[in-house]
């Protein structure tokens, strides 16, 4: 009788998940620990890192920045219903940013779920919808590793975005099976027939306009876009509310930023005979408008990797494709005609110092003293127009903000970007340019930055008000000078707030001190906060 072959013991869910994460090059977990997810971290391996955030929305913001900087899905671990609820603001932002996140949440043990136990999540997969691409609570404990593998591939497939897996607390010790690594295509090739039509339209145009958005940088197509613009002598505009730098803003063919208003977009694009939109909606509006979406008679072509975005575009034609593949194909297919070089936009005149300091003066000085390798993470919506004029971004991976308009993203995202750049061995400092009102949504991010000694400078623009709301009020019928209720913010002390979380900080009110203090904050070995009192 032949001896029976010895059967290898099956791995636990925890062992299978950890090996899967290693295969996916994920070794960092962002979280704020709660009871139902503690079993995940028993015997936590030394080759993994747990990044603590002091509130769940902060945790998701950090993971978002990290995923964008590393170009790989980031893993976020949350508590059950309450923790996911706290995190929803930045889950919404991650969805709008098209950031690949694997969001896991603890769930109460399966054995007591029939009794509606304390801290369980009823209908757990419904809670994060509709702002995740996929949500699952596996039917069996042994299915957890496969569910996480599926979640990763869905998160990384275009359009990228967050996914959600609810995991009962008693699943981690159950037997499971290893998940073998797989390759899944993450690029969408352009339809050759449709691409040929785009190329033909571009070749025929005499004064083409390119409107570039977040997808250009996200798909690594920035250098290709520069070549395409130079080849065709096209003016390149940044799409409304773009969450990343879409084109080098000091380039002579950069035409500026389109506003999120229909009539003003048409006005800016008047004079062009073709509009080619790359990696952006056509168009994103903030207020209602009337009339056409592009100048009458001007054809519009859009290339995006999101079929939903292509479907709701109200005019023109759309091609669904990954931007790096589509722009590269256009470089080969479109034959430039003889065109005049577009006029160079004039640089804004220098701003003189004043007391109190203006935001324009502050950002002008920041532009002078920052290093060319520094990156900016911004959440100062009341100062964004001034930033666009005074703080030009260099190109790929130089700028990050939120596509959602939801506050509370910028400070933790800066932590994640700094961590991601550190992991990739990149030089330069992360500059978090944050409004005073915005900072209070996620001020806990300072603690994580201080604990990890990250190379971040938090620049707080303290104008003691929600400037964006006050400036925007006339659009909604407020009389000149009339302030909406609840939009003043007196008495905030950001130096004390930073020091209370372990970070050195300074306040600047005198413009003669600004340059030296900014240099010190940008050259410090660890994180610093500098509060700038502005008008």
């Amino acid at each position: 009788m032949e001896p029976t072959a010895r059967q290898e013991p099956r791995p636990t869910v925890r062992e299978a998940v950890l090996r899967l994460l290693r295969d996916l090059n994920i070794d960092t977990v962002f979280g704020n620990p709660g009871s139902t997810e503690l079993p995940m971290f028993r015997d936590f391996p030394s080759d993994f890192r747990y990044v603590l955030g002091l509130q769940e929305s902060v945790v998701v913001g950090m993971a978002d920045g990290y995923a964008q900087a590393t170009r790989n899905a980031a893993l976020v671990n949350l508590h059950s219903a309450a923790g996911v609820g706290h995190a929803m603001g930045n889950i919404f932002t991650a969805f709008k940013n098209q950031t690949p996140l694997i969001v896991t949440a603890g769930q109460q043990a399966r054995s007591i779920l029939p009794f509606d136990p304390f801290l369980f999540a009823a209908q757990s997969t419904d809670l994060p919808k509709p702002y995740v691409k996929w949500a699952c609570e596996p039917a069996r404990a042994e299915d957890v590793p496969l569910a996480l593998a599926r979640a990763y591939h869905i998160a990384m497939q275009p359009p990228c975005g967050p996914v959600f897996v609810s995991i009962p607390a008693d699943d981690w010790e159950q037997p499971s099976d290893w998940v073998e690594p797989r390759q899944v295509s993450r690029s969408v090739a352009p339809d050759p027939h449709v691409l040929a039509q785009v190329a033909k339209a571009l070749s025929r145009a005499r004064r083409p306009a390119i409107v570039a958005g977040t997808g250009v940088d996200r798909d690594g197509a920035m250098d290709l876009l520069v070549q395409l613009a130079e080849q065709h002598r096209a003016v390149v505009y940044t799409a409304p509310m773009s969450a990343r730098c879409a084109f080098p803003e000091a380039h002579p063919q950069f035409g500026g930023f389109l506003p999120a208003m229909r009539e003003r977009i048409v006005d800016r694009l008047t004079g062009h005979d073709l509009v080619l939109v790359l990696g952006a909606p056509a168009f994103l509006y903030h207020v209602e408008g009337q009339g056409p979406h592009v100048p009458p008679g001007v054809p519009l072509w859009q290339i995006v990797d999101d079929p939903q975005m292509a479907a709701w575009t109200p005019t023109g034609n759309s091609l669904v494709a990954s931007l790096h593949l589509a722009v590269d194909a256009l470089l080969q297919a479109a034959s430039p005609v003889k065109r005049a070089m577009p006029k160079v936009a004039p640089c804004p005149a220098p701003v003189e110092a004043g007391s109190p300091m203006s935001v324009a003066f502050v950002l002008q000085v920041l532009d002078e003293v920052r290093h060319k390798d520094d990156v900016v993470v911004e959440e100062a919506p009341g100062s964004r127009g001034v930033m666009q004029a005074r703080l030009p971004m260099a190109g790929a991976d130089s700028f990050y903000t939120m596509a959602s308009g939801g506050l509370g993203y910028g400070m933790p995202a800066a932590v994640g970007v700094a961590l991601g750049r550190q992991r990739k061995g990149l030089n330069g400092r992360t500059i978090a340019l944050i409004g005073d009102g915005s900072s209070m949504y996620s001020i806990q991010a300072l603690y994580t930055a201080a604990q990890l000694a990250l190379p971040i400078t938090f620049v707080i623009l303290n104008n003691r008000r929600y400037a964006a709301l006050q400036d925007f009020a006339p659009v909604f019928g407020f009389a000149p000078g009339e302030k909406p209720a609840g939009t003043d913010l007196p008495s905030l002390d950001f130096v004390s707030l930073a020091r209370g979380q372990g970070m050195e900080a300074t306040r600047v009110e005198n413009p003669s001190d600004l340059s030296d203090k900014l240099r010190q904050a940008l050259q410090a070995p660890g994180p610093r906060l500098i509060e700038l009192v502005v008008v």
Side-chain angles (χ1 to χ4, degrees), residues 22 92 231 273 315 416:
R22 291 185 182 100
F92 169 64
Q231 182 185 76
D273 59 354
T315 190

Side-chain angles (χ1 to χ4, degrees), residues 185-260:
S185 174
R186 298 175 193 163
S187 297
V188 179
D191 181 306
H193 175 70
V194 180
L195 185 89
Q197 296 180 62
V198 182
K200 185 176 181 180
L202 184 58
S203 297
R204 286 180 169 179
R206 292 291 172 180
R207 193 163 183 261
I210 297 175
V211 179
T214 309
V216 171
D217 195 19
R218 187 170 52 238
D219 274 8
M222 183 79 67
D223 291 343
L224 294 169
L225 174 55
V226 171
Q227 293 179 49
L228 185 72
E230 292 176 348
Q231 182 185 76
H232 291 275
R233 296 189 172 186
V235 179
V236 182
Y237 300 92
T238 293
M241 303 299 183
S242 181
R244 294 175 75 155
C245 178
F247 192 75
E249 292 165 18
H251 193 284
Q253 288 170 237
F254 180 59
F257 298 83
L258 294 185

Side-chain angles (χ1 to χ4, degrees), residues 78 138 140 142 264 270 272 283 291 338 402 436 506 523 525:
L78 305 175
R140 305 178 302 170
E142 62 193 272
R264 290 179 61 192
T270 295
H272 294 286
F283 295 99
K338 188 174 182 179
M402 73 292 191
D436 51 349
T506 188
Q523 295 171 7

Side-chain angles (χ1 to χ4, degrees), residues 255-313:
F257 298 83
L258 294 185
M261 299 176 68
R262 186 188 304 191
E263 294 88 347
R264 290 179 61 192
I265 289 173
V266 171
D267 182 63
R268 292 288 299 276
L269 296 178
T270 295
H272 294 286
D273 59 354
L274 172 72
V275 176
L276 174 61
V277 181
L278 300 176
F283 295 99
L284 189 64
Y285 303 129
H286 193 188
V287 294
E288 60 182 327
Q290 302 294 326
H293 299 276
V294 292
V298 176
L300 180 144
W301 279 96
Q302 176 195 43
I303 304 177
V304 288
D305 67 1
D306 184 350
Q308 295 294 330
M309 187 182 295
W312 68 250
T313 295

Side-chain angles (χ1 to χ4, degrees), residues 9 61 151 174 177 185 190 207 217 239 276 280-281 292 343 361 368 382 389 396 400 496 503 522 534:
Q174 301 304 311
D177 294 301
S185 174
R207 193 163 183 261
D217 195 19
L276 174 61
K343 294 180 180 179
F361 174 75
E368 293 169 357
Y400 304 84
S496 296
M503 185 180 299
L522 292 171
V534 296

